[in-house]
Amino acid sequence: MSASTMCTTALSFTRTNGLCLGNYALRLLNRTATYSTALSTNNGKGFPNRGIRGPRRPKRESGAPRTEKMPENQDWTAVYPSAAPFKPSAVPLPVRMGYPVNRGVPAEKKGNLELMKIPNFLHLTPAAIQKHCDALKPFCTEWPAGLDSDAAREEHFPIQVESKEFVSAGSSLRNPKTRVVTLRVKLSSLNLDEHARKKMVKLVGDRYCEETDTLTIVTENCPLRQQNYDYAMYLLTVLYHESWKTEVWEAEKTRADMEEYHWDDSRSQKNVLDTLRRMRVTSEGEEDPGAVREELLGQPEVQEYRESVTRLKNEGETEETMLQYREAVKKLLNV
Amino acid sequence: MAAPIVIVRNVGAVARTVVRTSRALHKVDICGMYDRQAIFSQSWRLQTPATFHTASVFRSAPAITVIDEPDILYQKVEVLVKGHDKTVLDSYEFFATLAAKELGIGLGKVYEPPKHIEKLTVLKSVHIFKKHRVQYEMRTHYRCIELSRVTGSTVQVYLEYIQRNLPEGVAMEVTKTAIEKVPEHIQKPMWDDAPKEEQASQ
């Protein structure tokens, strides 16, 4: 086009001559260049009425807004059946939104960008929600009546499996936390005897909580949730069956491995027997040691002392346990 | 146009996921009251308001089928929604709680965990001026809705309805706690049934 060539020559002229024209001067140069070619062309559709100098098509009058034709008892679900932006001509509310400029009022709803930007819930009025739920109700099932209480639920369905799901906007649908599966079960609901229970607790370590008697298994090794769930169930099965087994080396369990304190064959018992023997020997002569031991252990004071020491070691030091121990010692030593 | 279009679309999507019954519960005595009906199909109709061009868009509703597979039971389903605008979350909470009530789902706690503000400080200028900075913050508000004691079919229906109507700029995290029976292979130790096998490992 002649206009463009004129522009480029003008520019090159300025550059080669070393003239440094500012932006404004350049723009002026370009404008004068384009004006000289006069005719304006409209190749594509674009804006057909843009730049027309002569008579243009008459603008059509917009009708009255829909709000004026709305009866009071209309069905609002027909106006906003689904999520749609805010249409000021379709919402009959005198709502205003925006910062009050120059100590005025917030801007009116017509052409208000703030009202259009914010998500609206006009399609989710209580009437619409009720209609939707009435349509969805046949697809719902009821909770079984017998499982209303926690105890019943615990008795019949002791295992709890927890997993997460995520809904968010982003470039990726995936969320790595989805594959984590947490399995919780109370050991009291599993068929375990004493030895099996202690072994199970030792096998799982930190995953067992004593206060709530809950075993928690968290699996996230596998890439899919289903796989993690299968792995968790597999772990539970293996733990259960292994804890029922008694290995040969379990006979070497020492006092330090015991979970609870046993008074029999402990240092406390030896000390008590020693003390009582010495108390007796001062009064009597030599006797069969085995029979003496049995006799001493059979005494009610010794039994009481045994109870108090066991309680003290297992339950910890409280007022009650200390008092009980004191009483037992006093009776034992005839103080 | 009409509400019917939306509802049909929603329900059509929901019906594609299967509706399951809970047959396993028949074995338990105390659950004898809970008795699922035999397989039935029900032609389902919408109550359409008197609008004009419904006929051309309304298509025949899918039949509801009941399957033998036992329904998953959920002790608790927690729906946590996150957004930058508290009022949007308020409206969403109203919608979700009303929907739960209408569908007959028992609601547990509905509460607002404290918001989380992430702040960052950047230099105000492109070049130098280290002493002049500008601080931005991103506020994330939360809302938690807990549903207690729901069946798998109901949860699917409710969650799909809730998630389809999730507003722009709001994210959701659903934590489901399913309850299960103790599986058969954990009822008793396998060593009882197979005494010939080596009890102690070498």
Side-chain angles (χ1 to χ4, degrees):
Chain A
M1 280 241 328
S2 51
S4 55
T5 46
M6 224 186 208
C7 288
T8 43
T9 44
L11 278 170
S12 55
F13 172 70
T14 55
R15 251 187 242 122
T16 47
N17 276 17
L19 277 179
C20 196
L21 292 178
N23 270 340
Y24 179 74
L26 274 174
R27 265 187 267 138
L28 201 63
L29 214 62
N30 290 345
R31 232 183 278 132
T32 49
T34 49
Y35 269 179
S36 61
T37 50
L39 288 171
S40 64
T41 54
N42 186 18
N43 294 339
K45 286 152 195 170
F47 298 98
N49 288 345
R50 186 172 165 177
I52 288 182
R53 296 281 162 259
R56 41 184 100 85
R57 220 179 301 139
K59 190 177 170 189
R60 213 170 48 165
E61 281 293 315
S62 57
R66 190 175 167 179
T67 48
E68 316 218 329
K69 294 178 234 164
M70 283 180 172
E72 254 120 57
N73 55 350
Q74 68 168 338
D75 182 22
W76 182 254
T77 56
V79 182
Y80 266 86
S82 62
F86 181 85
K87 294 169 199 126
S89 57
V91 176
L93 300 167
V95 60
R96 290 178 169 270
M97 183 159 171
Y99 183 77
V101 177
N102 288 336
R103 303 203 134 267
V105 290
E108 58 172 10
K109 64 177 179 175
K110 193 174 169 203
N112 195 330
L113 195 64
E114 294 298 318
L115 278 168
M116 280 191 255
K117 283 195 300 195
I118 201 78
N120 65 65
F121 284 78
L122 293 163
H123 57 293
L124 292 173
T125 50
I129 298 172
Q130 270 157 15
K131 268 196 194 171
H132 298 158
C133 291
D134 285 337
L136 292 172
K137 193 77 182 160
F139 296 94
C140 301
T141 51
E142 273 177 21
W143 182 259
L147 290 176
D148 275 338
S149 64
D150 272 341
R153 198 263 311 154
E154 190 64 46
E155 191 195 325
H156 294 102
F157 295 90
I159 297 182
Q160 290 184 349
V161 178
E162 193 184 294
S163 58
K164 292 196 190 219
E165 285 173 8
F166 297 86
V167 179
S168 63
S171 49
S172 166
L173 287 177
R174 318 286 169 205
N175 192 316
K177 292 186 213 158
T178 321
R179 61 187 156 83
V180 178
V181 171
T182 307
L183 190 133
R184 285 195 184 90
V185 66
K186 284 209 167 147
L187 289 190
S188 50
S189 50
L190 297 174
N191 178 23
L192 292 165
D193 71 349
E194 263 311 302
H195 159 263
R197 195 174 175 282
K198 286 180 188 167
K199 187 166 177 187
M200 172 84 102
V201 170
K202 274 205 188 293
L203 281 173
V204 299
D206 262 346
R207 295 176 190 82
Y208 176 71
C209 172
E210 267 188 43
E211 283 96 39
T212 52
D213 187 34
T214 319
L215 165 65
T216 310
I217 298 175
V218 179
T219 39
E220 48 185 354
N221 307 353
C222 311
L224 298 181
R225 191 195 294 158
Q226 181 61 36
Q227 292 172 349
N228 278 317
Y229 168 73
D230 290 338
Y231 181 53
M233 292 306 284
Y234 161 75
L235 281 179
L236 186 66
T237 315
V238 163
L239 280 168
Y240 178 79
H241 292 296
E242 283 295 311
S243 58
W244 272 98
K245 258 203 246 176
T246 311
E247 307 277 349
V248 172
W249 43 260
E250 280 186 42
E252 296 162 24
K253 193 175 182 185
T254 60
R255 199 152 248 285
D257 298 323
M258 298 284 182
E259 297 85 7
E260 283 172 340
Y261 178 79
H262 297 284
W263 190 77
D264 311 307
D265 294 331
S266 71
R267 256 190 325 175
S268 173
Q269 191 195 42
K270 263 184 245 150
N271 290 344
V272 161
L273 288 170
D274 266 343
T275 318
L276 289 175
R277 225 176 273 139
R278 272 196 226 121
M279 277 161 65
R280 271 177 154 221
V281 162
T282 49
S283 49
E284 292 163 8
E286 290 285 329
E287 276 192 23
D288 180 25
V292 169
R293 188 168 176 276
E294 290 308 317
E295 200 191 322
L296 283 173
L297 284 175
Q299 283 173 10
E301 293 93 11
V302 176
Q303 293 298 321
E304 216 182 294
Y305 180 76
R306 172 197 183 197
E307 289 298 323
S308 67
V309 170
T310 318
R311 207 170 153 214
L312 200 63
K313 291 274 185 180
N314 285 337
E315 288 173 32
E317 289 182 12
T318 61
E319 282 263 1
E320 240 185 276
T321 47
M322 290 303 278
L323 283 170
Q324 195 185 1
Y325 179 71
R326 188 178 82 164
E327 294 305 319
V329 167
K330 274 172 28 180
K331 277 189 206 153
L332 196 66
L333 301 175
N334 300 324
V335 168
Chain B
M1 220 280 299
I5 300 183
V6 169
I7 297 174
V8 167
R9 212 185 318 132
N10 270 345
V11 170
V14 166
R16 253 181 271 123
T17 66
V18 292
V19 176
R20 307 186 199 145
T21 59
S22 183
R23 287 292 160 101
L25 294 172
H26 284 178
K27 296 177 199 161
V28 182
D29 284 336
I30 54 166
C31 303
M33 285 158 51
Y34 178 78
D35 188 23
R36 197 73 192 151
Q37 295 173 21
I39 294 176
F40 66 95
S41 70
Q42 172 188 331
S43 68
W44 160 89
R45 280 171 147 268
L46 259 186
Q47 287 172 349
T48 56
T51 49
F52 9 104
H53 40 278
T54 333
S56 52
V57 284
F58 188 84
R59 55 178 199 267
S60 62
I64 301 170
T65 49
V66 174
I67 296 181
D68 260 341
E69 208 184 299
D71 222 349
I72 306 173
L73 297 170
Y74 291 100
Q75 166 75 3
K76 189 168 69 152
V77 174
E78 262 183 47
V79 174
L80 178 77
V81 272
K82 308 187 242 189
H84 291 302
D85 200 334
K86 191 165 172 289
T87 43
V88 171
L89 293 180
D90 285 337
S91 306
Y92 190 74
E93 179 201 320
F94 174 78
F95 156 66
T97 46
L98 185 60
K101 269 187 220 117
E102 292 289 318
L103 288 175
I105 300 172
L107 280 175
K109 277 195 298 173
V110 178
Y111 62 103
E112 187 185 348
K115 64 177 182 277
H116 170 71
I117 305 178
E118 186 183 330
K119 293 189 209 186
L120 64 142
T121 311
V122 293
L123 295 173
K124 209 188 239 186
S125 169
V126 161
H127 180 57
I128 54 171
F129 303 119
K130 190 69 174 233
K131 280 193 276 185
H132 301 86
R133 313 220 184 177
V134 71
Q135 292 183 313
Y136 296 104
E137 64 179 28
M138 285 173 280
R139 297 187 177 189
T140 310
H141 300 268
Y142 301 94
R143 209 50 74 98
C144 189
I145 300 162
E146 286 182 12
L147 320 170
S148 60
R149 301 202 192 102
V150 241
T151 54
S153 313
T154 315
V155 158
Q156 273 187 344
V157 168
Y158 179 74
L159 282 180
E160 181 156 356
Y161 180 50
I162 292 285
Q163 286 165 8
R164 274 182 192 269
N165 288 311
L166 200 65
E168 305 81 20
V170 173
M172 185 196 281
E173 182 181 317
V174 179
T175 310
K176 294 179 178 168
T177 309
I179 55 175
E180 290 176 14
K181 287 188 186 281
V182 175
E184 278 175 27
H185 43 271
I186 310 185
Q187 299 283 354
K188 47 186 190 138
M190 59 194 229
W191 319 116
D192 292 350
D193 296 335
K196 296 173 205 163
E197 284 185 38
E198 284 268 50
Q199 289 246 347
S201 60
Q202 297 303 322

